[in-house]
Amino acid sequence: MMINIDGHRISVERFMASKGLQVQGWLDLSGTGITALPEGLSVGGSLDLRGTGITALPEGLSVGGSLYLRGTGITALPEGLSVAGSLDLRDCPNLTGVFRVGKDRRGYEFFGVRLANGWRVIAGCRNFSAAEAREHWAGNRECLALAERVIAAEPGML
């Protein structure tokens, strides 16, 4: 199987052997069946892992855009994970290390994730820093209360 990295097609085997690989743009591995990522991987754009067999991410993974893990078997988020964009953790039933605070009346689950670059408040497709969450849900008392529970979380609460 071949994957496209910055306009170059390489084999999955070569990709896996590429320690310290730096991808400038988007890295779409969705549907490839890949089960692991190389050590030291850095992605300048978004990283899409939907529909893969991924259960773990390498320590220190850096993603300059969004990280899509929806529907994977991911069990934990690694130390030093940095994601500049959104983090899609929907349908990840095996994931531990998140602070779940409840659901709003629409059924969106609110939870917090501590990343290397700070706490994130996640609900449905929303993924915010504390300031962004407060601004976004300022007019929605129910959602703001759930977001504040995440924001007030202590690291030991996970």
Coordinates of all heavy atoms in Angstrom, one line a residue, residues 69-139:
L69 N -9.2 11.4 15.2 CA -9.1 10.0 15.7 C -10.4 9.3 15.8 O -10.5 8.2 16.4 CB -8.4 10.1 17.1 CG -7.0 10.6 17.2 CD1 -6.6 10.9 18.6 CD2 -6.1 9.6 16.5
R70 N -11.4 9.9 15.3 CA -12.8 9.4 15.4 C -12.8 7.9 14.9 O -12.4 7.6 13.9 CB -13.7 10.2 14.5 CG -15.2 9.8 14.7 CD -16.1 10.7 13.9 NE -17.5 10.4 14.2 CZ -18.5 11.1 13.9 NH1 -18.3 12.2 13.3 NH2 -19.7 10.7 14.3
G71 N -13.4 7.1 15.8 CA -13.7 5.7 15.5 C -12.5 4.8 15.6 O -12.5 3.7 15.1
T72 N -11.4 5.3 16.1 CA -10.2 4.5 16.3 C -10.2 3.7 17.6 O -11.1 4.0 18.5 CB -8.9 5.3 16.2 OG1 -8.8 6.2 17.3 CG2 -8.8 6.1 14.9
G73 N -9.3 2.8 17.8 CA -9.2 2.1 19.1 C -8.2 2.7 20.0 O -7.7 2.1 20.9
I74 N -8.0 4.0 19.8 CA -7.0 4.8 20.7 C -7.4 4.6 22.1 O -8.5 4.6 22.5 CB -7.0 6.2 20.3 CG1 -5.7 6.9 20.9 CG2 -8.2 7.0 20.7 CD1 -4.5 6.7 20.0
T75 N -6.4 4.3 23.0 CA -6.6 4.0 24.4 C -6.2 5.1 25.3 O -6.7 5.2 26.4 CB -5.9 2.7 24.8 OG1 -4.5 2.8 24.6 CG2 -6.5 1.5 24.0
A76 N -5.2 5.9 24.8 CA -4.7 7.0 25.7 C -4.0 8.1 24.8 O -3.6 7.7 23.6 CB -3.7 6.5 26.7
L77 N -3.9 9.3 25.3 CA -3.2 10.3 24.6 C -1.8 10.4 25.2 O -1.6 10.4 26.4 CB -3.9 11.6 24.7 CG -5.3 11.7 24.0 CD1 -6.0 13.0 24.3 CD2 -5.2 11.4 22.6
P78 N -0.7 10.5 24.4 CA 0.6 10.4 24.9 C 1.1 11.7 25.5 O 0.5 12.8 25.3 CB 1.4 10.1 23.6 CG 0.7 10.8 22.6 CD -0.8 10.6 22.9
E79 N 2.1 11.6 26.4 CA 2.8 12.7 26.9 C 3.3 13.6 25.8 O 3.8 13.1 24.8 CB 4.0 12.3 27.8 CG 3.6 11.7 29.1 CD 3.0 12.7 30.1 OE1 3.5 13.8 30.2 OE2 2.0 12.3 30.7
G80 N 3.2 14.9 26.0 CA 3.8 15.8 25.0 C 3.0 16.0 23.8 O 3.5 16.7 22.8
L81 N 1.8 15.4 23.7 CA 1.0 15.6 22.5 C 0.6 17.1 22.3 O 0.1 17.7 23.3 CB -0.3 14.8 22.5 CG -1.3 15.0 21.4 CD1 -0.7 14.6 20.1 CD2 -2.6 14.2 21.7
S82 N 0.8 17.7 21.1 CA 0.5 19.0 20.9 C -0.4 19.1 19.6 O 0.0 18.6 18.6 CB 1.8 19.9 20.7 OG 1.4 21.2 20.3
V83 N -1.5 19.7 19.7 CA -2.5 19.8 18.6 C -2.9 21.3 18.5 O -3.5 21.8 19.4 CB -3.7 18.9 18.8 CG1 -4.6 19.0 17.6 CG2 -3.3 17.4 18.9
A84 N -2.6 22.0 17.4 CA -2.9 23.4 17.3 C -4.4 23.6 16.9 O -5.0 24.6 17.3 CB -2.0 24.0 16.3
G85 N -5.0 22.6 16.2 CA -6.3 22.8 15.8 C -7.3 21.9 16.6 O -7.0 21.8 17.8
S86 N -8.3 21.4 16.0 CA -9.3 20.6 16.8 C -8.8 19.2 17.0 O -7.9 18.7 16.3 CB -10.7 20.7 16.1 OG -10.6 20.1 14.9
L87 N -9.4 18.5 18.0 CA -9.1 17.2 18.3 C -10.4 16.4 18.3 O -11.2 16.6 19.1 CB -8.4 17.1 19.7 CG -8.0 15.8 20.2 CD1 -6.9 15.1 19.3 CD2 -7.5 15.9 21.6
D88 N -10.5 15.5 17.3 CA -11.8 14.7 17.1 C -11.6 13.4 17.8 O -10.9 12.5 17.3 CB -12.1 14.6 15.6 CG -13.5 13.9 15.4 OD1 -14.1 13.5 16.4 OD2 -13.9 13.8 14.2
L89 N -12.3 13.2 19.0 CA -12.2 12.0 19.7 C -13.5 11.3 19.8 O -13.7 10.4 20.6 CB -11.7 12.3 21.2 CG -10.3 12.9 21.3 CD1 -10.0 13.4 22.7 CD2 -9.3 12.0 20.8
R90 N -14.4 11.7 18.9 CA -15.8 11.0 18.9 C -15.6 9.5 18.6 O -14.8 9.1 17.8 CB -16.7 11.7 18.0 CG -17.0 13.1 18.4 CD -17.9 13.8 17.3 NE -17.0 14.1 16.2 CZ -17.4 14.7 15.1 NH1 -18.7 14.9 14.9 NH2 -16.6 15.0 14.1
D91 N -16.5 8.7 19.2 CA -16.5 7.3 19.0 C -15.2 6.6 19.3 O -14.7 5.7 18.5 CB -17.0 7.0 17.5 CG -18.3 7.6 17.2 OD1 -19.2 7.6 18.1 OD2 -18.5 8.1 16.1
C92 N -14.5 7.0 20.4 CA -13.3 6.4 20.8 C -13.6 5.7 22.2 O -13.2 6.3 23.2 CB -12.2 7.4 20.9 SG -11.6 8.0 19.4
P93 N -14.3 4.6 22.2 CA -14.8 4.0 23.5 C -13.7 3.5 24.4 O -13.9 3.4 25.6 CB -15.7 2.9 23.0 CG -15.2 2.5 21.7 CD -14.7 3.8 21.1
N94 N -12.5 3.3 23.9 CA -11.4 2.7 24.7 C -10.5 3.8 25.3 O -9.6 3.5 26.0 CB -10.5 1.8 23.9 CG -11.3 0.6 23.3 OD1 -12.3 0.1 24.0 ND2 -11.0 0.2 22.1
L95 N -10.8 5.1 25.0 CA -9.9 6.2 25.4 C -10.0 6.4 26.9 O -11.1 6.6 27.4 CB -10.3 7.4 24.6 CG -9.4 8.7 24.9 CD1 -8.0 8.4 24.6 CD2 -10.0 9.9 24.2
T96 N -8.9 6.5 27.6 CA -8.8 6.8 29.0 C -8.0 8.1 29.1 O -7.5 8.6 28.1 CB -8.1 5.7 29.8 OG1 -6.8 5.6 29.3 CG2 -8.9 4.4 29.7
G97 N -8.0 8.7 30.3 CA -7.2 10.0 30.5 C -8.0 11.2 30.0 O -7.3 12.2 29.8
V98 N -9.3 11.1 29.9 CA -10.1 12.3 29.6 C -11.0 12.6 30.8 O -11.4 11.6 31.5 CB -10.9 12.2 28.3 CG1 -10.0 12.0 27.1 CG2 -11.9 11.1 28.4
F99 N -11.3 13.8 31.0 CA -12.2 14.2 32.1 C -13.6 14.4 31.6 O -13.8 15.4 30.9 CB -11.6 15.5 32.8 CG -12.4 15.9 34.0 CD1 -12.7 15.1 35.0 CD2 -12.9 17.3 34.0 CE1 -13.5 15.6 36.1 CE2 -13.6 17.7 35.1 CZ -13.9 16.9 36.1
R100 N -14.4 13.5 31.8 CA -15.8 13.6 31.3 C -16.7 14.2 32.3 O -16.7 13.8 33.5 CB -16.3 12.2 30.9 CG -15.5 11.5 29.9 CD -16.0 10.0 29.7 NE -15.0 9.3 28.9 CZ -14.9 9.3 27.6 NH1 -15.7 10.0 26.9 NH2 -14.0 8.5 27.0
V101 N -17.4 15.3 31.9 CA -18.2 16.0 32.8 C -19.7 15.9 32.6 O -20.5 16.3 33.4 CB -17.9 17.5 32.8 CG1 -16.4 17.7 33.3 CG2 -18.1 18.2 31.5
G102 N -20.2 15.3 31.5 CA -21.6 15.1 31.3 C -22.0 15.5 29.9 O -21.2 15.9 29.1
K103 N -23.3 15.3 29.6 CA -23.9 15.6 28.3 C -24.9 16.8 28.5 O -25.6 16.9 29.5 CB -24.6 14.4 27.8 CG -23.7 13.3 27.4 CD -24.5 12.1 26.8 CE -23.6 11.0 26.5 NZ -24.3 9.9 25.9
D104 N -25.0 17.6 27.4 CA -26.0 18.6 27.4 C -27.3 18.0 26.9 O -27.4 16.8 26.6 CB -25.6 19.8 26.5 CG -25.5 19.5 25.0 OD1 -25.9 18.4 24.6 OD2 -25.1 20.4 24.3
R105 N -28.4 18.7 26.9 CA -29.7 18.1 26.5 C -29.8 17.6 25.1 O -30.7 16.9 24.8 CB -30.8 19.1 26.8 CG -30.9 20.3 25.9 CD -32.0 21.3 26.3 NE -31.4 22.1 27.4 CZ -31.8 23.3 27.6 NH1 -32.6 23.9 26.8 NH2 -31.2 24.0 28.5
R106 N -28.9 18.1 24.2 CA -28.8 17.6 22.8 C -28.1 16.2 22.7 O -28.1 15.6 21.7 CB -28.2 18.6 21.9 CG -28.9 19.9 21.9 CD -28.0 21.0 21.2 NE -26.8 21.1 22.0 CZ -25.7 21.8 21.6 NH1 -25.7 22.3 20.4 NH2 -24.7 21.9 22.4
G107 N -27.4 15.8 23.8 CA -26.7 14.6 23.9 C -25.2 14.7 23.6 O -24.5 13.7 23.5
Y108 N -24.7 16.0 23.4 CA -23.3 16.2 23.2 C -22.5 16.0 24.5 O -22.8 16.6 25.5 CB -23.0 17.6 22.7 CG -23.4 17.7 21.2 CD1 -24.4 18.6 20.9 CD2 -22.8 17.0 20.2 CE1 -24.9 18.8 19.6 CE2 -23.3 17.2 18.9 CZ -24.3 18.1 18.6 OH -24.7 18.2 17.3
E109 N -21.5 15.1 24.5 CA -20.7 14.8 25.7 C -19.6 15.9 25.8 O -18.9 16.2 24.9 CB -20.1 13.5 25.7 CG -19.3 13.1 26.9 CD -18.9 11.7 27.0 OE1 -18.8 11.0 25.9 OE2 -18.5 11.2 28.1
F110 N -19.5 16.5 27.0 CA -18.4 17.5 27.3 C -17.3 16.8 28.0 O -17.6 16.1 29.0 CB -19.0 18.6 28.1 CG -19.8 19.6 27.4 CD1 -21.0 19.3 26.7 CD2 -19.3 20.9 27.2 CE1 -21.7 20.3 26.0 CE2 -20.0 21.9 26.5 CZ -21.2 21.6 25.9
F111 N -16.1 17.0 27.6 CA -15.0 16.4 28.3 C -13.7 17.3 28.1 O -13.7 18.1 27.2 CB -14.7 15.0 28.0 CG -14.5 14.7 26.5 CD1 -13.2 14.6 26.0 CD2 -15.6 14.4 25.7 CE1 -13.0 14.3 24.7 CE2 -15.4 14.1 24.3 CZ -14.1 14.0 23.8
G112 N -12.8 17.1 28.9 CA -11.5 17.9 28.9 C -10.4 16.9 28.6 O -10.4 15.8 29.0
V113 N -9.4 17.5 27.9 CA -8.2 16.7 27.5 C -7.0 17.7 27.8 O -7.0 18.8 27.4 CB -8.2 16.3 26.1 CG1 -6.8 15.6 25.7 CG2 -9.3 15.4 25.7
R114 N -6.0 17.2 28.6 CA -4.9 18.0 28.9 C -3.8 17.6 27.8 O -3.3 16.5 27.8 CB -4.3 17.7 30.3 CG -3.2 18.7 30.6 CD -2.9 18.5 32.1 NE -1.9 19.4 32.5 CZ -2.0 20.7 32.8 NH1 -3.2 21.3 32.8 NH2 -1.0 21.4 33.2
L115 N -3.4 18.6 27.0 CA -2.4 18.5 26.0 C -1.1 19.3 26.5 O -1.2 20.1 27.4 CB -2.9 19.0 24.7 CG -4.1 18.3 24.1 CD1 -4.5 18.9 22.8 CD2 -3.9 16.8 24.0
A116 N 0.0 19.1 25.7 CA 1.2 19.8 26.0 C 0.9 21.4 26.0 O 1.6 22.1 26.7 CB 2.3 19.4 25.1
N117 N 0.0 21.8 25.1 CA -0.3 23.2 24.9 C -1.5 23.6 25.7 O -2.2 24.6 25.3 CB -0.3 23.6 23.5 CG -1.3 22.7 22.6 OD1 -1.6 21.6 23.0 ND2 -1.7 23.2 21.5
G118 N -1.9 22.9 26.7 CA -3.0 23.3 27.6 C -4.3 22.5 27.5 O -4.4 21.5 26.7
W119 N -5.2 22.8 28.4 CA -6.5 22.0 28.5 C -7.3 22.4 27.3 O -7.3 23.5 26.8 CB -7.3 22.4 29.7 CG -6.9 21.7 31.0 CD1 -6.0 22.1 31.9 CD2 -7.4 20.4 31.4 NE1 -5.9 21.2 32.9 CE2 -6.7 20.1 32.6 CE3 -8.2 19.5 30.8 CZ2 -6.9 19.0 33.3 CZ3 -8.5 18.3 31.5 CH2 -7.8 18.1 32.7
R120 N -8.1 21.4 26.8 CA -9.0 21.6 25.7 C -10.4 21.2 26.2 O -10.5 20.2 26.9 CB -8.7 20.8 24.4 CG -7.3 21.1 23.8 CD -7.2 22.5 23.4 NE -8.0 22.8 22.2 CZ -8.0 24.0 21.6 NH1 -7.3 25.0 22.0 NH2 -8.8 24.2 20.6
V121 N -11.4 22.0 25.9 CA -12.8 21.6 26.2 C -13.4 21.1 24.9 O -13.4 21.8 23.9 CB -13.6 22.9 26.7 CG1 -15.0 22.5 27.0 CG2 -12.9 23.5 27.9
I122 N -13.9 19.9 24.9 CA -14.4 19.2 23.7 C -15.9 18.8 23.9 O -16.2 18.3 24.9 CB -13.5 18.0 23.3 CG1 -12.1 18.4 23.1 CG2 -14.1 17.3 22.1 CD1 -11.1 17.3 23.0
A123 N -16.7 19.1 22.9 CA -18.1 18.7 22.9 C -18.5 18.6 21.5 O -18.5 19.6 20.7 CB -18.9 19.7 23.7
G124 N -18.9 17.4 21.1 CA -19.3 17.2 19.7 C -18.1 17.6 18.8 O -17.0 17.2 19.0
C125 N -18.4 18.5 17.8 CA -17.3 18.9 16.9 C -16.6 20.1 17.4 O -15.6 20.6 16.8 CB -17.8 19.1 15.5 SG -19.0 20.5 15.4
R126 N -17.0 20.6 18.6 CA -16.3 21.8 19.2 C -15.1 21.4 20.0 O -15.1 20.4 20.7 CB -17.3 22.5 20.1 CG -18.6 22.9 19.4 CD -18.4 24.0 18.4 NE -19.7 24.4 17.9 CZ -19.8 25.0 16.7 NH1 -18.8 25.2 15.9 NH2 -21.0 25.3 16.3
N127 N -14.1 22.2 19.9 CA -12.8 21.9 20.5 C -12.1 23.3 20.8 O -11.6 23.9 19.9 CB -11.9 21.1 19.6 CG -10.6 20.7 20.2 OD1 -9.9 21.5 20.8 ND2 -10.3 19.4 20.1
F128 N -12.2 23.7 22.1 CA -11.8 25.0 22.5 C -10.8 25.1 23.6 O -10.8 24.2 24.5 CB -13.0 25.8 22.9 CG -14.1 26.0 21.9 CD1 -15.4 25.6 22.1 CD2 -13.8 26.7 20.7 CE1 -16.4 25.8 21.2 CE2 -14.8 26.8 19.8 CZ -16.1 26.4 20.0
S129 N -10.0 26.2 23.6 CA -9.2 26.5 24.8 C -10.3 27.0 25.8 O -11.4 27.2 25.5 CB -8.2 27.6 24.5 OG -8.9 28.8 24.2
A130 N -9.8 27.3 27.1 CA -10.8 27.8 28.1 C -11.4 29.1 27.6 O -12.6 29.3 27.7 CB -10.0 28.0 29.4
A131 N -10.6 30.0 27.1 CA -11.1 31.3 26.7 C -12.1 31.2 25.6 O -13.1 31.9 25.5 CB -10.0 32.3 26.3
E132 N -11.8 30.4 24.6 CA -12.6 30.1 23.4 C -14.0 29.5 23.9 O -15.0 29.9 23.4 CB -12.0 29.3 22.4 CG -10.8 29.9 21.7 CD -9.9 28.9 21.0 OE1 -10.0 27.7 21.3 OE2 -9.2 29.3 20.0
A133 N -13.9 28.6 24.8 CA -15.1 27.9 25.3 C -16.0 28.9 26.0 O -17.2 28.9 25.8 CB -14.8 26.8 26.3
R134 N -15.5 29.7 26.9 CA -16.3 30.8 27.6 C -16.9 31.7 26.6 O -18.1 32.1 26.7 CB -15.4 31.5 28.6 CG -15.1 30.7 29.8 CD -14.2 31.4 30.7 NE -14.0 30.7 32.0 CZ -12.8 30.5 32.5 NH1 -11.7 30.9 32.0 NH2 -12.8 29.7 33.7
E135 N -16.2 32.1 25.6 CA -16.7 33.0 24.6 C -17.8 32.4 23.8 O -18.9 32.9 23.5 CB -15.6 33.5 23.7 CG -16.1 34.5 22.6 CD -15.0 35.0 21.7 OE1 -13.8 35.0 22.1 OE2 -15.3 35.5 20.6
H136 N -17.6 31.1 23.3 CA -18.5 30.4 22.5 C -19.9 30.2 23.2 O -20.9 30.3 22.6 CB -17.9 29.1 21.9 CG -18.8 28.4 21.0 ND1 -19.1 28.7 19.7 CD2 -19.6 27.3 21.3 CE1 -19.9 27.9 19.2 NE2 -20.3 27.0 20.1
W137 N -19.8 29.7 24.4 CA -21.0 29.3 25.2 C -21.5 30.4 26.1 O -22.3 30.1 27.0 CB -20.7 28.0 25.9 CG -20.7 26.8 24.9 CD1 -21.7 26.4 24.1 CD2 -19.7 25.9 24.8 NE1 -21.4 25.3 23.4 CE2 -20.1 25.0 23.8 CE3 -18.4 25.7 25.3 CZ2 -19.3 23.9 23.3 CZ3 -17.6 24.6 24.9 CH2 -18.1 23.8 23.9
A138 N -21.1 31.6 26.0 CA -21.5 32.7 26.9 C -23.0 32.8 26.9 O -23.5 33.2 28.0 CB -20.8 34.0 26.4
G139 N -23.7 32.6 25.9 CA -25.1 32.7 25.8 C -25.9 31.4 26.1 O -27.1 31.4 26.0

